[in-house]
Amino acid sequence: MKTRIFKLLFLFLSTAVLTVSCNKDDDNPGPTCNDGIQNGTETGIDCGGTCGACEEEPTCSDGIQNGDETGVDCGGSCDACTESINLTSISPITEDLELEVQNTYTLDGVVSIENGATLTIPAGTTITASAAAGDETSTYIVVQKGAKIDVQGTSSEPVVMTSDSKSPGDWGGLVIAGDATTTKGTDATAEVGNIIYGGTNDADDSGSIEYLIINYAGAQINPESQYNGLTLYAVGSATTISNVAILNGTDDGVEFFGGTVSASNFYLENNQDDAVDWTEGWNGTLTDAYVLHTEAGFSTAVEADGDNGNPSLVNFTAVSTVGGTALQFKKESGATITGLSLTGYDISVDFRDGGAVSNVQIEGADSNPSLSYVGPATVDVNMFSWVGTNNTVESNVLSGSIGSNLTLDPAIDYFLEGTLSVESGAKLTIPAGTKIVADVQAGEETSTYIVVQKGGQIDVQGTEAMPVIMTSTNENPGDWGGLVIAGDATTTKGTDATAEVGNIIYGGTNDADDSGSIEYLIINYAGAQINPESQYNGLTLYAVGSATTISNVAILNGTDDGVEFFGGTVSASNFYLENNQDDAVDWTEGWNGTLTDAYVLHTEAGFSTAVEADGDNGNPSLVNFTAVSTVGGTALQFKKESGATITGLSLTGYDTSVDFRDGGAVSNVQIAGADSDPALTYEGPATVSASMFYWATGNSESQSNVLTGTVTSNVTLNASTTYFLNGSLSVESGAKLTIPAGTKIVADVQAGEETSTYIVVQKGGQIDIQGSAANPVVMTSANETPGDWGGLVIAGDATTTKGTDATAEVGNIIYGGTNDADDSGSIEYLIINYAGAQINPESQYNGLTLYAVGSATTISNVAILNGTDDGVEFFGGTVSASNFYLENNQDDAVDWTEGWNGTLTDAYVLHTEAGFSTAVEADGDNGNPSLVNFTAVSTVGGTALQFKKESGATITGLSLTGYDTSIDYRDGGAVTNVTIEGATSDPALTYEGPATVDVAIFGWATN
């Protein structure tokens, strides 16, 4: 039989009235029920007691219990009684007790529900801990082993347990002790309150909890012992726990000490230690839990310790705006987790004591601490609206309409599900470092995009260090619709036109319209295809006005255009557009703004153009536009009467430079102040440096195509990218530069920079050129003029007559040592063109310069063409080389000095331009190198072989054709220094004869 508190009080009050009546009428103790006097056992005049019920009406404000009142002026037909009751004063609770929702309950000590008793707490009840300073750890509610609690909250009227001072750690929360198993055994003693728990009944029933809020708990006993919000000691599986919110605790939100209980629908906010904690072999299931951390200094979202009972987490979403650790597993603890979503944590999974990652199974696989487990929320925070938390919980899902100003949080990764529409009058602000991921299911690509409606605004506040990123979960081109902005500027479609996508309304008469600002934005994998005629782009601008500012935008890997302007007057600058499959830049409907400093890169075949223009000619401007293709294609295409004014144009690698598809006038397009000319390639030095977009290409989604600076660790280039050499590239000691077959490096040289533009492999560094006959590596220049750059320089550690650590005549390069077997790497199938930059009359770069390079270096199949100095020059060293083709190098084809003593095999020299020096020039001490099969042909006379000082060589297989002088001893050296075909050299002989090297073997370089 349940005993209600109001009945206990009623009995007390009734007894008091009886005593007073007896004192007033000692001579007449019995009631007289019809004498008009309240006497005897009467509770009213001639009524109540043994006289029967009163017939009078209650008076609810007379200070007397009368009528049907159950208390003084309350109860019955009067308002319900409201009393303040201290639960500690009636503890321990040894019989079933049901609280009354109209009463106010406090506790200032321990409230203990004893074995055999049940405490029932109706919906809407509030219990407030009121602990004096120092009493926090002795103020809590405990359901002892064998007792029960029945929390009957609802979503509209939850039960609330809180504190009066509203400070974390005010009290010890709710503790339940059960009879289920724990690794501590039977009748273990809890770390708090000497509570006894644990047994053998895994189906033990400690009652039921539904819709409960616990706030400001977690009292601290000592650094090792604390109360939590909800503490479950060996609670059994027959106990039901659902819809619990635990907020602002100084220790854990909920902690399971063994047991088999399962729980669901938990909201845990800003608990300072762990949101969820378990130990002692708990093996229940926690379903649909949402953890929020917005205050720094917490421990984890989950901490597990001790033996592995393999509990389950089903749908667990945790969000942190302050970093931290999400899941921590100590000792051999583990879990099976499905539906995991983590956002904003620095560490996803931590095995603090080196436990096996296989102990934790996430989505059916071993846990992986290197994964972030970032993904769409698996638990909707809105299901906890019943909590009414004062903390703003920001969803990480973007969808629907924004009708007022909204600022995103850069600490949260947002997931775009469907369309996000910024309505007229609203502004969406996206701070630096924010990431938005389009979470797209198959078939939803065209309905997943961000649109700024006409009259709305966007403010993308990225920085070079922290750009804003918009990408997709699948990371496939065409995954989503990108960013669309609709403005009120003019368009040839008129006012309030309807866009080809999304029925978006755009266009008006305000050319100075302001749709906001974009700064440092990366858009990836956009371009969803509606049909063959309608597509989304990376960035789509419908009639956007000139007051809108757009700068530093990178658009990568789209299936349609990178950026498309549909009319409007907006200008933009600093655009990087890589591998957008239709057009990199597209405009129509009379756009007449300016695009400044744009860099386009195409490394995948099948794209349409770098620029496509269509419709009426609004005469927009391109200022500094550099486009590079490694796969041919069309650069600029103008349809109908479209046109543009272009300055600073640089095109590289395209089959077609300018295409007027519909026969429009070439005068519609002005390039560098003249009518466009489709017969011109418009190749030339880049007018925009790719290096200015490192903020976008430095990540894993794009590879920079600029070579400059130093290589300090092993680097492998990408054969599908054309690289531009800006300044010197130095491969430092201990590093290796690997250049795959088919790679092209273009020296991008401005006037006056020729001598500072070269590649050098420093002493101790290596180069690995992996060309093939079908795909040689090519090093050339943008200007395609002899002497444009300094070529390839290699410094080694072999001997040279200059000694150890000599300084080269160029670049202050250090070379030379004592290791004749030094290895500077390997060169196979390399073409060097337009090198030989002139420092002064005495110092020049060559095509290939070899300073003290050692014999372990391998060099074969090299073609050096059109240099202003030597083709190849050996400064000492022991390296040998083979299969060299040297054409029209203006000084010497082959040069050596400083005692080089290697072998050059199968070399073919061709001179068809007058003014060169020699086919071979040798100088300095005689290291007696060898030439094996050396064929040189001149159509313009000249000197074939020149030996200075005491230099010499051993030559076999010599064939000279067309030279005026076969051998020249300029300084009167001994003819015996040079042996040809086993005999002393003879300058009187021409050494003409059949070629000893077939020029056809160099078809890979000459065709």
Side-chain angles (χ1 to χ4, degrees):
M1 177 70 69
K2 293 185 179 179
T3 303
R4 299 180 181 269
I5 283 185
F6 83 85
K7 290 183 178 179
L8 294 172
L9 294 173
F10 174 76
L11 291 173
F12 172 78
L13 291 170
S14 298
T15 302
V17 172
L18 176 63
T19 302
V20 171
S21 297
C22 291
N23 288 337
K24 287 182 178 179
D25 192 7
D26 292 336
D27 297 329
N28 185 17
T32 303
C33 299
N34 56 1
D35 61 358
I37 301 172
Q38 180 180 342
N39 52 27
T41 61
E42 295 172 13
T43 57
I45 297 174
D46 293 339
C47 66
T50 57
C51 293
C54 296
E55 300 297 330
E56 76 234 44
E57 293 295 322
T59 304
C60 300
S61 59
D62 61 357
I64 300 172
Q65 180 180 338
N66 51 28
D68 62 355
E69 295 173 17
T70 58
V72 175
D73 292 338
C74 65
S77 57
C78 296
D79 293 337
C81 298
T82 300
E83 303 174 46
S84 178
I85 300 170
N86 187 334
L87 290 175
T88 306
S89 67
I90 61 173
S91 179
I93 297 171
T94 58
E95 297 181 356
D96 293 351
L97 175 64
E98 181 174 349
L99 306 187
E100 293 294 326
V101 67
Q102 69 269 18
N103 293 334
T104 60
Y105 295 98
T106 61
L107 66 151
D108 56 11
V110 178
V111 175
S112 176
I113 299 95
E114 298 297 304
N115 181 11
T118 297
L119 174 64
T120 300
I121 308 177
T125 303
T126 296
I127 300 173
T128 304
S130 180
D135 291 340
E136 295 89 351
T137 58
S138 59
T139 303
Y140 58 93
I141 300 172
V142 55
V143 180
Q144 303 287 357
K145 182 177 173 180
K148 290 184 180 182
I149 191 167
D150 184 10
V151 176
Q152 300 176 340
T154 65
S155 60
S156 59
E157 293 185 297
V159 169
V160 178
M161 297 179 179
T162 186
S163 73
D164 57 357
S165 61
K166 294 181 171 55
S167 297
D170 271 349
W171 66 300
L174 174 61
V175 183
I176 303 177
D179 192 39
T181 52
T182 163
T183 57
K184 292 294 186 179
T186 298
D187 290 341
T189 301
E191 63 182 356
V192 295
N194 292 317
I195 299 164
I196 303 301
Y197 70 99
T200 59
N201 181 11
D202 280 342
D204 187 38
D205 183 2
S206 295
S208 173
I209 295 175
E210 187 74 14
Y211 288 102
L212 169 64
I213 298 172
I214 301 175
N215 216 333
Y216 305 115
Q220 192 88 359
I221 300 171
N222 57 55
E224 299 302 318
S225 298
Q226 307 86 17
Y227 291 91
N228 308 293
L230 176 60
T231 307
L232 303 171
Y233 283 105
V235 175
S237 61
T239 309
T240 60
I241 304 176
S242 184
N243 294 295
V244 176
I246 307 173
L247 320 171
N248 307 308
T250 51
D251 201 62
D252 304 330
V254 58
E255 184 165 6
F256 301 84
F257 290 84
T260 56
V261 67
S262 292
S264 63
N265 298 7
F266 265 53
Y267 178 80
L268 304 119
E269 179 184 296
N270 287 332
N271 294 284
Q272 295 174 18
D273 192 10
D274 313 304
V276 178
D277 194 348
W278 68 79
T279 186
E280 299 182 14
W282 173 58
N283 67 348
T285 298
L286 177 60
T287 304
D288 293 337
Y290 192 101
V291 175
L292 178 65
H293 289 123
T294 64
E295 297 176 0
F298 70 92
S299 292
T300 68
V302 167
E303 180 188 90
D305 196 3
D307 293 348
N308 186 6
N310 192 30
S312 296
L313 300 183
V314 178
N315 298 334
F316 187 89
T317 294
V319 176
S320 172
T321 65
V322 289
T325 297
L327 314 180
Q328 183 179 80
F329 295 88
K330 299 178 178 179
K331 299 178 182 173
E332 287 301 310
S333 60
T336 297
I337 306 175
T338 56
L340 177 63
S341 170
L342 305 178
T343 298
Y345 293 90
D346 302 315
I347 298 171
S348 59
V349 188
D350 174 36
F351 289 90
R352 201 187 73 169
D353 301 318
V357 295
S358 59
N359 287 347
V360 180
Q361 296 292 301
I362 300 178
E363 315 301 347
D366 290 351
S367 58
N368 185 348
S370 66
L371 297 179
S372 66
Y373 294 104
V374 170
T378 55
V379 180
D380 183 1
V381 70
N382 293 318
M383 66 188 283
F384 299 104
S385 60
W386 59 270
V387 178
T389 173
N390 291 325
N391 196 3
T392 299
V393 179
E394 185 170 12
S395 172
N396 64 339
V397 174
L398 298 177
S399 188
S401 296
I402 297 173
S404 59
N405 295 348
L406 173 66
T407 299
L408 301 186
D409 184 346
I412 293 177
D413 282 348
Y414 292 91
F415 291 88
L416 178 66
E417 296 181 355
T419 303
L420 178 70
S421 178
V422 183
E423 301 299 317
S424 179
K427 178 190 285 187
L428 173 64
T429 300
I430 309 179
T434 304
K435 186 175 184 179
I436 299 174
V437 182
D439 183 26
V440 189
Q441 305 299 316
E444 297 177 354
E445 294 85 354
T446 58
S447 60
T448 305
Y449 58 93
I450 299 173
V451 56
V452 180
Q453 302 286 358
K454 182 177 172 179
Q457 288 191 324
I458 192 168
D459 184 9
V460 176
Q461 302 175 337
T463 65
E464 185 172 9
M466 293 193 297
V468 169
I469 297 174
M470 297 179 179
T471 186
S472 73
T473 52
N474 300 324
E475 297 188 347
N476 292 322
D479 269 349
W480 66 300
L483 174 60
V484 183
I485 303 178
D488 193 40
T490 52
T491 162
T492 57
K493 291 292 186 181
T495 298
D496 289 341
T498 301
E500 64 181 356
V501 295
N503 291 318
I504 298 163
I505 303 301
Y506 69 100
T509 59
N510 181 13
D511 280 343
D513 188 37
D514 183 3
S515 294
S517 174
I518 295 175
E519 187 73 14
Y520 287 102
L521 169 65
I522 297 173
I523 300 175
N524 214 333
Y525 304 114
Q529 193 88 357
I530 300 172
N531 57 55
E533 299 302 318
S534 298
Q535 308 85 17
Y536 290 91
N537 308 293
L539 175 61
T540 307
L541 303 171
Y542 283 105
V544 175
S546 61
T548 309
T549 60
I550 304 176
S551 185
N552 294 296
V553 176
I555 307 173
L556 319 170
N557 306 310
T559 51
D560 202 64
D561 304 331
V563 58
E564 184 165 7
F565 301 85
F566 289 85
T569 56
V570 68
S571 293
S573 63
N574 298 5
F575 265 53
Y576 179 82
L577 305 119
E578 179 181 299
N579 286 333
N580 295 284
Q581 294 175 20
D582 193 10
D583 312 305
V585 178
D586 194 347
W587 67 79
T588 186
E589 298 183 14
W591 173 58
N592 67 349
T594 298
L595 178 60
T596 304
D597 292 335
Y599 192 101
V600 175
L601 179 63
H602 288 124
T603 64
E604 297 178 0
F607 71 91
S608 293
T609 68
V611 167
E612 180 188 270
D614 196 3
D616 293 347
N617 185 7
N619 192 31
S621 296
L622 301 182
V623 178
N624 298 332
F625 188 89
T626 295
V628 177
S629 173
T630 64
V631 289
T634 298
L636 315 179
Q637 184 179 79
F638 295 88
K639 299 178 178 179
K640 300 179 181 174
E641 286 301 310
S642 60
T645 297
I646 306 175
T647 56
L649 178 64
S650 170
L651 305 177
T652 300
Y654 293 91
D655 301 318
T656 302
S657 60
V658 188
D659 173 37
F660 289 90
R661 200 186 74 169
D662 301 319
V666 294
S667 60
N668 287 346
V669 180
Q670 296 291 300
I671 301 177
D675 289 351
S676 58
D677 186 349
L680 298 178
T681 63
Y682 294 103
E683 289 189 346
T687 55
V688 180
S689 173
S691 62
M692 68 187 285
F693 299 104
Y694 180 78
W695 59 271
T697 62
N699 59 40
S700 61
E701 296 171 338
S702 180
Q703 184 173 3
S704 173
N705 64 337
V706 174
L707 298 178
T708 191
T710 58
V711 177
T712 58
S713 59
N714 295 347
V715 171
T716 299
L717 301 187
N718 184 343
S720 66
T721 297
T722 295
Y723 293 89
F724 290 87
L725 180 65
N726 290 344
S728 65
L729 178 70
S730 177
V731 183
E732 300 299 301
S733 178
K736 178 191 286 188
L737 174 65
T738 299
I739 307 179
T743 303
K744 186 176 184 179
I745 299 174
V746 180
D748 184 20
V749 189
Q750 305 298 317
E753 297 177 355
E754 294 86 351
T755 58
S756 59
T757 305
Y758 57 94
I759 299 173
V760 56
V761 180
Q762 303 285 359
K763 182 177 172 179
Q766 288 190 325
I767 193 166
D768 183 10
I769 295 177
Q770 301 174 339
S772 65
N775 290 292
V777 169
V778 177
M779 298 179 179
T780 186
S781 74
N783 300 324
E784 297 186 346
T785 302
D788 266 350
W789 66 299
L792 175 60
V793 182
I794 302 178
D797 194 39
T799 52
T800 163
T801 57
K802 291 292 186 179
T804 298
D805 289 341
T807 300
E809 63 182 353
V810 296
N812 292 318
I813 298 163
I814 303 301
Y815 70 101
T818 58
N819 181 13
D820 280 344
D822 188 37
D823 184 3
S824 294
S826 174
I827 296 175
E828 188 72 14
Y829 288 100
L830 169 65
I831 298 173
I832 300 176
N833 215 334
Y834 304 115
Q838 191 87 0
I839 300 171
N840 56 54
E842 297 301 316
S843 298
Q844 307 85 18
Y845 289 91
N846 308 293
L848 177 60
T849 307
L850 303 170
Y851 283 106
V853 175
S855 61
T857 308
T858 60
I859 303 176
S860 184
N861 294 295
V862 176
I864 307 173
L865 319 172
N866 306 309
T868 52
D869 200 68
D870 303 332
V872 59
E873 185 166 5
F874 302 83
F875 288 85
T878 56
V879 66
S880 293
S882 63
N883 296 8
F884 265 50
Y885 179 79
L886 304 118
E887 177 180 306
N888 287 332
N889 294 284
Q890 294 175 20
D891 193 8
D892 312 305
V894 179
D895 194 346
W896 68 78
T897 186
E898 298 181 14
W900 173 57
N901 66 349
T903 298
L904 177 60
T905 305
D906 294 336
Y908 192 100
V909 175
L910 179 63
H911 288 123
T912 63
E913 297 176 358
F916 70 89
S917 293
T918 68
V920 168
E921 178 187 271
D923 195 4
D925 293 350
N926 186 5
N928 193 30
S930 298
L931 300 182
V932 178
N933 298 333
F934 186 91
T935 295
V937 176
S938 173
T939 64
V940 290
T943 298
L945 314 180
Q946 183 179 79
F947 295 88
K948 299 178 178 179
K949 300 179 181 174
E950 287 302 309
S951 60
T954 297
I955 306 174
T956 57
L958 178 63
S959 169
L960 305 176
T961 301
Y963 293 90
D964 300 319
T965 302
S966 61
I967 308 177
D968 173 36
Y969 289 89
R970 201 185 74 169
D971 299 320
V975 295
T976 56
N977 288 345
V978 179
T979 299
I980 301 176
E981 312 302 341
T984 298
S985 60
D986 185 350
L989 299 178
T990 63
Y991 294 99
E992 289 191 354
T996 55
V997 179
D998 184 359
V999 70
I1001 72 173
F1002 299 104
W1004 58 271
T1006 60
N1007 292 335

